[in-house]
Amino acid sequence: MKTSSNEWAKFIAAPELGMQGLHAYFNKHQYERHSHDYYVLGTIDAGAPKVALENSSFIAPAGSAMIINPGDSHDGKACGDQGYLYSMVYVEPWAIADIAGEFGVSTPASILFTRSVVTDPDVVFALRRLHRTLFYGQDRLAAEIHLIEALKPLLTRYSTRPATLRAKAHDPRIERVRELIHACFADSLTTADMADAAGLSRVRLNQLFRAAYGLPLHAYLNGVRLEAAKKLLASGLSSAGVAASVGLFDQSHLIRRFKGCFGITPAQFVDAHFPVVQYGTSSSLP
């Protein structure tokens, strides 16, 4: 995909492996604040992105690895006019938990990584190799082995195992609102609807919800809608049909929100489920 700013993005999906991949160059694109229910692991091949987390921010330089845990709200933009080129792998929690358990990690389902930026050469090499293997898309066994080899140093050096997941310790009033959003995301929910469900004022509700989940109400709702949109797109429903089904105004609204959250268009996401991908060999910026 080309734009007037020379941005491009390639995406691939391997749901049977619990992985997706993004290879992209951005210099104008800015990610909206969002979170994922999967791990983001990858390398910065040129340039540098700046990422703001809930309570901190970081710049990932060229030659480093970048890690974002499930549930961590974040945005992202280029740090400088030259933009950045990066290679990301999105890994489902079950895929990492399975491997962590085989490494003897206790409570593997609640693993979090402790560094957002890692410069260890073996970690960077292993993640680049995993990304290339995933994009070639011909060897499932190699992708599985390379995921294991990429996770070994990360689990050994940069992981922690919290006793409970953050989402399980919430005020039950806030949990009722989260359940309402997941059940009725396609409806025109208002802050009054959510405040009524919680028995709180709208201002207090948004404060407590953001403290619990790292996102304001509208951003969390947007994320739920977009995750539902991905499932519907993969099932073959048209973009216009998906937009109507998940509570977005129209197809253009879906494209704008999808790109803002995932860095790709709905059409690219659909294409990735029937991929004929050519992996870019350049490691330099345009």
Side-chain angles (χ1 to χ4, degrees), residues 212-262:
Y213 294 103
L215 291 169
L217 288 163
H218 70 280
Y220 188 92
L221 173 59
N222 184 58
V224 172
R225 285 172 167 167
L226 292 175
E227 288 299 326
K230 289 199 296 186
K231 294 177 182 178
L232 292 173
L233 288 166
S235 75
L237 189 62
S238 69
S239 291
V242 169
S245 297
V246 302
L248 297 175
F249 296 125
D250 53 27
Q251 183 174 347
S252 63
H253 189 203
L254 171 66
I255 293 170
R256 187 167 64 254
R257 294 278 77 86
F258 205 93
K259 171 92 173 181
C261 188
F262 304 122

Side-chain angles (χ1 to χ4, degrees), residues 201-217:
S201 71
R202 292 178 299 171
V203 172
R204 185 58 175 157
L205 169 61
N206 196 54
Q207 289 174 335
L208 293 177
F209 194 93
R210 184 164 191 161
Y213 294 103
L215 291 169
L217 288 163

Side-chain angles (χ1 to χ4, degrees), residues 48 59 131 137 167 238 256 274:
I59 294 172
H131 189 265
S238 69
R256 187 167 64 254
F274 307 94

